[in-house]
Amino acid sequence: LPIILLHGYPEFWYSWRSVAADLGARGYRVIVPDQRGYNLSDKPASVDAYRLDVLARDIVALKMMLGYEKVFLAGHDFGGLVAWWTLILFPEHIARAVIVNKPHPYAAKLFPAEEDTRTAWDREGAIHTMGKWYRANADFDLEVDDIRISVPTQLLIAADDAFSALDLQMNTEEFLLDGEVVPLGVGT
């Protein structure tokens, strides 16, 4: 089963290089895209081009373009948020998922906490398009029948993560029908 790894903000595919190499050495097909607006990827001018439903469609389109029926999906930070919305909107395309340090989007809505932002780098104007992810999704919501995740999913959380509140991440378990939250001692 191929594995798609989604980077966070302000990262790009390179942040997964060690994990991708390890998985590749174990025989997995690993797909590590630069997400929309990052590094050398397309950088649409419209903020709406960075809405989470659009970004989730990007993941499904990538999977379909490569000819896979289902994939294993992993996401870190904002890539984790894209993974959550892919699971909510398109669960039939994902076999299993792992999210690292990003609570379910409704855990944050139901149990609000303040998050800090990071400083980022700039490459060909990427800092401006990367920021559109936040502007496009500050109040993002969709009418969906069920916000619970049916795909087997693990959320890996680091107790010392400076950018995701631990209590929000622990509340994610309420949204997992077949999954678990696994706290780690240290992390990103």
Side-chain angles (χ1 to χ4, degrees):
L1 193 62
I3 302 169
I4 296 178
L5 304 173
L6 302 177
H7 63 78
Y9 175 88
E11 303 162 333
F12 62 111
W13 73 266
Y14 191 73
S15 63
W16 286 106
R17 69 192 176 283
S18 298
V19 173
D22 185 53
L23 291 170
R26 294 170 190 255
Y28 290 97
R29 169 81 193 271
V30 184
I31 303 151
V32 193
D34 278 332
Q35 294 194 77
R36 182 184 291 236
Y38 286 78
N39 195 27
L40 300 176
S41 69
D42 289 345
K43 295 172 184 66
S46 169
V47 170
D48 287 342
Y50 300 89
R51 286 174 42 103
L52 287 160
D53 55 329
V54 175
L55 299 171
R57 277 192 212 97
D58 283 351
I59 305 314
V60 173
L62 174 63
K63 173 203 77 82
M64 292 173 70
M65 181 194 72
L66 294 172
Y68 296 114
E69 185 177 330
K70 288 192 176 218
V71 294
F72 185 101
L73 184 61
H76 171 254
D77 183 62
F78 218 107
L81 196 52
V82 174
W84 283 122
W85 278 102
T86 305
L87 292 165
I88 290 169
L89 297 173
F90 309 107
E92 67 277 10
H93 294 277
I94 310 301
R96 296 187 73 82
V98 170
I99 314 298
V100 181
N101 283 344
K102 196 59 161 180
H104 185 287
Y106 283 87
K109 287 183 180 295
L110 297 177
F111 310 98
E114 195 169 314
E115 286 193 26
D116 295 323
T117 57
R118 297 186 206 180
T119 316
W121 45 262
D122 188 8
R123 179 175 180 167
E124 299 175 14
I127 190 66
H128 303 293
T129 55
M130 290 161 43
K132 289 179 182 179
W133 283 50
Y134 285 94
R135 290 191 296 280
N137 298 296
D139 296 315
F140 182 82
D141 200 357
L142 286 178
E143 290 293 323
V144 293
D145 294 331
D146 193 351
I147 59 173
R148 296 171 300 161
I149 304 300
S150 59
V151 174
T153 301
Q154 260 189 346
L155 170 61
L156 304 177
I157 60 173
D160 64 348
D161 187 282
F163 300 101
S164 292
L166 184 60
D167 58 341
L168 288 183
Q169 297 199 64
M170 293 305 295
N171 290 330
T172 291
E173 205 154 47
E174 294 183 31
F175 302 95
L176 301 177
L177 297 176
D178 182 9
E180 63 181 335
V181 176
V182 179
L184 306 173
V186 295
T188 63

